[in-house]
Amino acid sequence: MTSAVEQHTVLPPSVTEPDARQELRRLDEFITLAASPAHQAKLVSPDGGEVVLPDRVYEVLRDVVKAMAQGFAVNIAPLNAVLTTQQAADMLDISRPTLVKLLESGEIPFEKPGRHRRVLLSDLLEYRARSRAERQEILDELTASANRDGSDDIVDGFIQTR
């Protein structure tokens, strides 16, 4: 029987749980050091049953452990999850009014089933990837231009010698 995956947030142990925090740090060290492409990771159930983890699943688990060991909460959501405008704005680290402008300009698709706008997580992640790629392209162009005209040698009004 397959159940639907729902969005939920997993909080790291609080400062009042030093044993759990230490256990997470040990697990983070172990999972980071044990990463070896020559061997596949396995999941062992409480009754001793084993199953080999696909590399991608292992990488996700490693990322979750690392984030929680650093004190970050982890949000687990299927790509078809529907977000409020505030949740979407938080994910992009922008204000809600700025997000609404992006929605209304057509930069990010949205639905408005009633009075409130809703954004698909997959559309938000696609926008974020596209936006990062565009910023990287602009930075690459600026760097190439600075290299061509020599302005990369000028720092605070002084010409650097190589």
Side-chain angles (χ1 to χ4, degrees):
M1 181 175 158
T2 305
S3 63
V5 176
E6 294 187 26
Q7 180 175 342
H8 65 281
T9 300
V10 181
L11 299 174
S14 71
V15 292
T16 61
E17 304 171 280
D19 291 342
R21 290 170 62 92
Q22 182 60 31
E23 190 174 291
L24 252 181
R25 283 192 289 272
R26 280 196 313 270
L27 181 56
D28 179 36
E29 289 174 17
F30 173 79
I31 206 167
T32 300
L33 295 174
S36 168
H39 298 90
Q40 285 197 296
K42 295 179 184 176
L43 183 63
V44 179
S45 68
D47 67 0
E50 292 184 4
V51 64
V52 173
L53 292 178
D55 290 341
R56 186 65 190 129
V57 172
Y58 179 77
E59 291 168 8
V60 169
L61 291 174
R62 185 187 60 216
D63 292 347
V64 167
V65 169
K66 181 166 285 313
M68 290 182 70
Q70 293 174 358
F72 295 108
V74 176
N75 191 33
I76 300 167
L79 278 178
N80 65 350
V82 179
L83 306 174
T84 66
T85 52
Q86 187 61 58
Q87 290 170 321
D90 290 345
M91 278 193 71
L92 295 177
D93 200 23
I94 59 176
S95 69
R96 197 186 66 74
T98 299
L99 176 82
V100 170
K101 288 178 187 175
L102 291 170
L103 298 176
E104 296 297 335
S105 72
E107 288 287 321
I108 304 171
F110 70 97
E111 297 174 357
K112 196 170 181 180
R115 293 180 25 160
H116 303 286
R117 296 171 193 87
R118 299 289 183 243
V119 181
L120 284 175
L121 176 59
S122 57
D123 289 335
L124 192 69
L125 295 175
E126 185 178 306
Y127 167 78
R128 186 169 66 180
R130 190 174 65 246
S131 177
R132 285 179 177 169
E134 289 170 1
R135 283 194 308 269
Q136 186 61 52
E137 187 176 318
I138 291 168
L139 285 172
D140 291 346
E141 288 174 14
L142 288 171
T143 301
S145 175
N147 286 336
R148 281 192 303 276
D149 67 17
S151 62
D152 63 333
D153 291 336
I154 301 173
V155 178
D156 295 329
F158 297 99
I159 297 176
Q160 293 181 331
T161 56
R162 293 184 186 188

